[in-house]
Amino acid sequence: MMDKLRLFIHWLGDFCLRLILLVGMSIVFSAGVYMSWEHTTAMAIRLGNPPSHAVAYTWFVETLLVASEIVVLFQASRRRRPHKSVFVGVAFGATINLASNVSSFLPSLIPVKIGGIIMGATIPAGTAIAIWIFAETLISGDKQTATTTTRQTN
């Protein structure tokens, strides 16, 4: 009986810790998106994009970053190491956010002609990274389902 009580207490503590971490990281992600939103949009406009494209670019970058972060949390909650694609997605989004945030205070950091070319290149690169993350996450989910099904039938 005491072993079952200890197991339950351990499970409850683990559950509470994971819940607190999930809520905390959700707040951090949301705050990061909120604070970077205007900087990324302003950078895109400064690099020659119309406001509607600048907002779409911001959605693109922030969604890729948040989706990568969610996959990291999901994989970690299942005690599995996230695939490399997820870390590439986080690094990609974080790099663009960092450039946007710094260039909002130092506009000469990113020259318009070169910045426009780089920004244009980030769109197909980010799309490829998003596809990679999506595919790897689905594949790892399928492998987990297959392993669970095999264990249950044996």
Side-chain angles (χ1 to χ4, degrees), residues 115-127:
I117 293 168
I118 292 171
M119 190 177 135
T122 62
I123 296 169
T127 302

Side-chain angles (χ1 to χ4, degrees), residues 69-87:
E69 293 163 344
I70 288 170
V71 171
V72 168
L73 286 176
F74 179 72
Q75 296 289 350
S77 72
R78 300 179 82 190
R79 297 176 192 224
R80 293 183 11 215
R81 184 170 180 81
H83 190 268
K84 294 173 189 170
S85 62
V86 178
F87 295 108

Side-chain angles (χ1 to χ4, degrees), residues 51-72:
S52 61
H53 292 178
V55 169
Y57 183 75
T58 303
W59 273 108
F60 169 75
V61 171
E62 299 300 338
T63 302
L64 179 61
L65 184 57
V66 170
S68 299
E69 293 163 344
I70 288 170
V71 171
V72 168

Side-chain angles (χ1 to χ4, degrees), residues 2-123:
M2 290 301 274
D3 287 339
K4 288 185 179 182
L5 182 60
R6 282 189 190 136
L7 281 174
F8 176 73
I9 291 171
H10 178 73
W11 175 86
L12 184 61
D14 191 48
F15 175 79
C16 289
L17 176 63
R18 288 172 184 273
L19 183 62
I20 290 167
L21 287 172
L22 180 64
V23 169
M25 292 311 296
S26 297
I27 291 168
V28 168
F29 295 160
S30 299
V33 167
Y34 176 75
M35 290 185 289
S36 293
W37 186 269
E38 286 184 33
H39 295 147
T40 304
T41 304
M43 178 189 73
I45 290 170
R46 191 171 52 254
L47 295 177
N49 289 283
S52 61
H53 292 178
V55 169
Y57 183 75
T58 303
W59 273 108
F60 169 75
V61 171
E62 299 300 338
T63 302
L64 179 61
L65 184 57
V66 170
S68 299
E69 293 163 344
I70 288 170
V71 171
V72 168
L73 286 176
F74 179 72
Q75 296 289 350
S77 72
R78 300 179 82 190
R79 297 176 192 224
R80 293 183 11 215
R81 184 170 180 81
H83 190 268
K84 294 173 189 170
S85 62
V86 178
F87 295 108
V88 172
V90 170
F92 178 83
T95 301
I96 292 172
N97 274 342
L98 179 63
S100 300
N101 293 343
V102 172
S103 72
S104 70
F105 295 103
L106 187 61
S108 62
L109 178 71
I110 302 174
V112 174
K113 287 185 181 179
I114 294 172
I117 293 168
I118 292 171
M119 190 177 135
T122 62
I123 296 169

